[in-house]
Amino acid sequence: MFPNALRDGRLVAAALLVVSTFALGVQLLNPPELVVAGGDDAALETVGYYFRYRDAIVVAVSAAVFGASAAFLALDAYPSDSEEKRSLETAVADSPEAGTSDGPGASESADETARRTRWEETAARLADTERIVYETALEADGEIAQREIVERTDLSKATVSRTLSNLESRGLLDRERRGMGNVVVLQ
């Protein structure tokens, strides 16, 4: 995972996010004070807090780096359509059935292999609870009752339902109403 994160730039973006957050915090929480020594009585008086040009530049640059790295990390979390299409094309091209035309059964097998490969790649990109729920559906060949996910995992009904809603909103699965319950179907 570490080499992939470094190659993709996620590790660098995360480091920049931490550094810029620290720099912003230091600059904004500790502004310089303007102290004025007055006349004959030699009393020091704090007039106010003013940022110097250097401080303003540090804040502006840190804010820009913070925004850019946060946006990169947020947008990088979800694969683009072109990435999914490319991974599907690679899976189909690399499958042993690719290039053989032994009738309709060969293309169905190639489609199943490509679909399973795509599901496994998607599962590898998910984190924590989402991965557990997705892999449980994957182990059931892409179709499982929602109540079975609750039974097979140590997750509560609410957690499974919330996680499925998140995955469904990202287009990774569908929930179909069947009878009294839902059936989860991977996309």
Side-chain angles (χ1 to χ4, degrees), residues 17-186:
L17 184 69
V18 170
V19 169
S20 63
T21 303
F22 179 76
L24 278 171
V26 168
Q27 288 295 321
L28 295 177
L29 295 176
N30 297 315
E33 296 181 33
L34 180 62
V35 179
V36 177
D40 297 334
D41 57 359
L44 294 177
E45 183 180 336
T46 301
V47 173
Y49 298 100
Y50 295 97
F51 286 104
R52 297 180 299 252
Y53 287 119
R54 180 182 58 89
D55 297 327
I57 291 171
V58 168
V59 168
V61 168
S62 295
V65 169
F66 176 87
S69 59
F72 175 80
L73 289 172
L75 295 175
D76 190 50
Y78 301 109
S80 67
D81 291 336
S82 62
E83 286 178 12
E84 288 187 17
K85 184 177 179 184
R86 193 174 333 120
S87 66
L88 177 61
E89 290 170 355
T90 303
V92 170
D94 292 344
S95 69
E97 290 85 8
T100 64
S101 57
D102 297 333
S107 65
E108 287 177 20
S109 181
D111 289 343
E112 289 174 15
T113 303
R115 186 178 314 123
R116 184 141 188 101
T117 303
R118 187 179 76 238
W119 289 343
E120 289 170 353
E121 290 172 355
T122 301
R125 287 191 301 260
L126 298 173
D128 304 329
T129 308
E130 290 180 344
R131 178 179 286 193
I132 292 168
V133 170
Y134 196 88
E135 286 179 345
T136 303
L138 179 62
E139 290 168 3
D141 293 327
E143 189 171 324
I144 186 171
Q146 184 171 336
R147 64 176 165 68
E148 285 188 45
I149 295 174
V150 174
E151 293 169 2
R152 291 184 186 187
T153 63
D154 292 332
L155 303 173
S156 68
K157 288 181 184 180
T159 301
V160 169
S161 179
R162 189 173 43 250
T163 303
L164 288 172
S165 293
N166 290 339
L167 293 170
E168 189 173 25
S169 69
R170 290 166 42 194
L172 299 176
L173 56 83
D174 280 331
R175 282 189 283 188
E176 299 173 359
R177 190 77 172 161
R178 291 193 191 158
M180 296 292 290
N182 291 330
V183 173
V184 176
V185 180
L186 298 182

